[in-house]
Amino acid sequence: MRPLVIAHRGASGTSPENTLAAFRRAAELGADMIELDVQVTRDGAVVVIHDYTLERTTSGTGPVHAHTLADIRRFDAGGWFDPAFRGERVPTLAETFAAVALPVNVELKPVGADDLEARALAVVEEAGALERTVFSSFAMDALERLRARSAAARLAVLWETDRIGDAVAWARRVGARALHLRKDAATPRTLEIAAAQHLPVRVWTVNDQAEMGTLAAAGVEGIFTDFPERFLHPSGRA
Ligand code: G3P
Ligand code: MG
């Protein structure tokens, strides 16, 4: 059985990352889930963007958290990738849930203790989407605060080193049901330890078919990929 194919920042190999275009493309391709990154604006909106600053993926400049939502909406979030995508905007998390019916991995990228987890949880609950959402973060304190607010939220520990014992301990502490591991940390040893703890492992970022085959054989439950089509339509049909 193939692993779950999780569209990393949407179908970000062929569309501008973390835009509605990338999420809709992932849905068209038949992805099992989308992954996206969220941050909070100066006025408390939850927006979908990876970098802490606007330069790389929008026509704006400066930190995301220093701008209001209205400011950020004025910037173009597609033209940097390809002129055909000009007009894409940085989406809010609420818009994303309204646009796509797929399961969603909401990766929290807080800046200090900015209440991002509480705001993101409120958006997800308002959308009636708690059941199709997995929250993850490198920020264990954000996961702890999220768990304190919601017993029902599904959490995953996001982890990038081979100190798997620490990841397992955090998973226990916050009640996470999965580990999201950077691929070079997904060694046979770490996968074995996670399996013994009944923690499914999803691995990022995998764009190569042979590599996915190796990881699938090693027991990973899912892969995050920029190119879902390579795994869902390996013969080239998209
Ligand atoms: O959630 C998996 C992966 O997205 C974590 O790293 O930097 O791509 O958000 P990054
Ligand atoms: Mg991410």
Side-chain angles (χ1 to χ4, degrees), residues 40 44 46 108 110-121 142 145 149:
V40 67
V46 181
L108 304 166
V111 178
D114 61 4
D115 271 353
L116 171 62
E117 68 286 338
R119 293 176 191 280
L121 178 66
R145 290 192 298 268
R149 284 185 175 268

Side-chain angles (χ1 to χ4, degrees), residues 15-142:
S15 313
E17 66 180 55
N18 283 330
T19 62
L20 295 184
F23 302 139
R24 289 191 174 116
R25 182 68 183 141
E28 279 166 20
L29 289 167
D32 297 303
M33 180 183 274
I34 58 172
E35 186 262 4
L36 51 79
D37 309 285
V38 293
Q39 298 184 52
V40 67
T41 63
R42 193 174 91 207
D43 51 345
V46 181
V47 289
V48 182
I49 185 166
H50 178 272
D51 294 6
Y52 292 110
T53 53
L54 293 161
E55 281 81 352
R56 182 178 62 86
T57 60
T58 80
S59 56
T61 58
V64 173
H65 67 76
H67 291 78
T68 63
L69 177 61
D71 288 338
I72 288 176
R73 298 297 249 176
R74 282 196 277 274
F75 304 135
D76 185 276
W80 69 275
F81 184 84
D82 187 298
F85 290 101
R86 253 184 221 135
E88 284 297 319
R89 300 288 163 207
V90 172
T92 63
L93 184 58
E95 281 175 334
T96 303
F97 277 107
V100 179
L102 285 174
V104 178
N105 173 205
V106 175
E107 185 196 332
L108 304 166
K109 290 199 183 290
V111 178
D114 61 4
D115 271 353
L116 171 62
E117 68 286 338
R119 293 176 191 280
L121 178 66
V123 169
V124 170
E125 287 179 334
E126 177 71 19
L130 199 58
E131 301 252 304
R132 64 175 168 115
T133 299
V134 177
F135 295 92
S136 65
S137 190
F138 290 115
M140 296 303 130
D141 56 335

Side-chain angles (χ1 to χ4, degrees), residues 197-231:
Q197 299 293 326
H198 307 291
L199 285 166
V201 173
R202 305 167 195 138
V203 175
W204 92 90
T205 304
V206 180
N207 290 332
D208 180 78
Q209 288 167 344
E211 189 172 33
M212 181 189 74
T214 306
L215 288 163
V220 307
E221 187 202 57
I223 56 152
F224 296 84
T225 181
D226 303 329
F227 295 94
E229 61 276 22
R230 290 184 187 165
F231 308 99

